Amino acid sequence: MKQEKILIIGAGGQIGVELTLALRKLYGNENVVATDIREAHPLLKDNGPYYILNAMDVKGTHEIVKNEGITQIYLLAAMLSATGEKAPHKAWEINMQSLIHILDLGVQEKLTKIYWPSSMAVFGHSTPHDGTPQKTIIEPQTVYGISKYAGELWCQYYNQRWGLDVRSLRYPGLISWKSEPGGGTTDYAVEIYYEALKNKKYTSFLSENTCLPMMYMDDAIRGTIELMEAPVEKLKTRMAYNISAISFTPKEIAASIQKHIPDFTIDYAPDFRQAIADGWPRSIDDTAARTDWGWKNNFDLDKMTEEMLQHLKVKLMQAV
Ligand code: AKB
């Protein structure tokens, strides 16, 4: 069997850092080429090949694919829901063009697999908000959600027309301590842990009872790799799979933190991100992922809180 050589575009982002580390463990450091528009994230320094690359740079990407003998690409670079609303045309251009040129490259270079993340942001007000099904009404209300839904259709199209093996997940909000999120509506659920440890108080930009689907990064990374390793005949959709783990509100995550930091307090000052969150599911039905390729989450809210506080405490102490 040919040794896979993986290219990660957007390796410095919230998912990218941990996915690169996990894939390097699995495939060997030298077989996972990390790239990002910025200098290498501290956790990706000196443990494998790294290039500075703009996801929109078709020529530069092609050169790396050729020179490094790349067989698989994970395209993670994107503008998320909140920053996307501030610059809708730019978000559309970045999110769509980067995908289409990677899909073309996939066909041209006969790549074995491509991974591209979708999001629960594909769902909008007209979708059932509780137990949102895999197949349902999809009318996203943010440019990020529109680009993710259009992208899913492009992935399906390239699979049906050229047999390209593109795989995708609709992530809920992701919570991590190794790398920080940027520009999302669910970012409050990471910020709250930093602020709880640093200042024992947090002002949430979402209202107290806004319930959203979320997932600890360990589960998300394992799920992504499991999807990518699943035998092709198990995959029953070439749109992105719904995956879910836990759903909670700002009030509930605060209560989970208070079990460890009793004098932690939270108040609420909803901003423009509230309207985005109000259009998203409260919980997601991921039966298809569980049935087709065995998806299963391991972390609930309290287990995640325990891990987040424990790791962030050490990280913040080391940063002093
Ligand atoms: C965001 O909040 O924009 C992202 C997402 C749900 O895809 N975390």
Side-chain angles (χ1 to χ4, degrees), residues 29-59:
N29 286 352
E30 65 291 353
N31 293 317
V32 180
V33 179
T35 70
D36 200 280
I37 197 161
R38 298 160 287 190
E39 290 289 334
H41 184 279
L43 292 175
L44 301 183
K45 281 204 169 118
D46 309 322
N47 56 25
Y50 190 88
Y51 294 91
I52 291 185
L53 177 74
N54 182 335
M56 304 291 277
D57 179 358
V58 183
K59 194 166 161 273

Side-chain angles (χ1 to χ4, degrees), residues 236-292:
K236 303 284 185 278
T237 178
R238 287 305 178 145
M239 299 293 280
Y241 274 97
N242 280 4
I243 51 164
S244 86
I246 32 179
S247 285
F248 56 79
T249 64
K251 194 173 162 187
E252 286 164 343
I253 191 175
S256 177
I257 293 172
Q258 279 157 351
K259 290 181 189 165
H260 302 264
I261 308 174
D263 50 349
F264 170 65
T265 60
I266 182 165
D267 58 11
Y268 305 92
D271 66 14
F272 73 101
R273 289 167 281 193
Q274 183 67 46
I276 301 176
D278 287 342
W280 286 354
R282 282 183 286 270
S283 63
I284 288 174
D285 180 351
D286 59 3
T287 309
R290 289 177 193 262
T291 311
D292 291 358

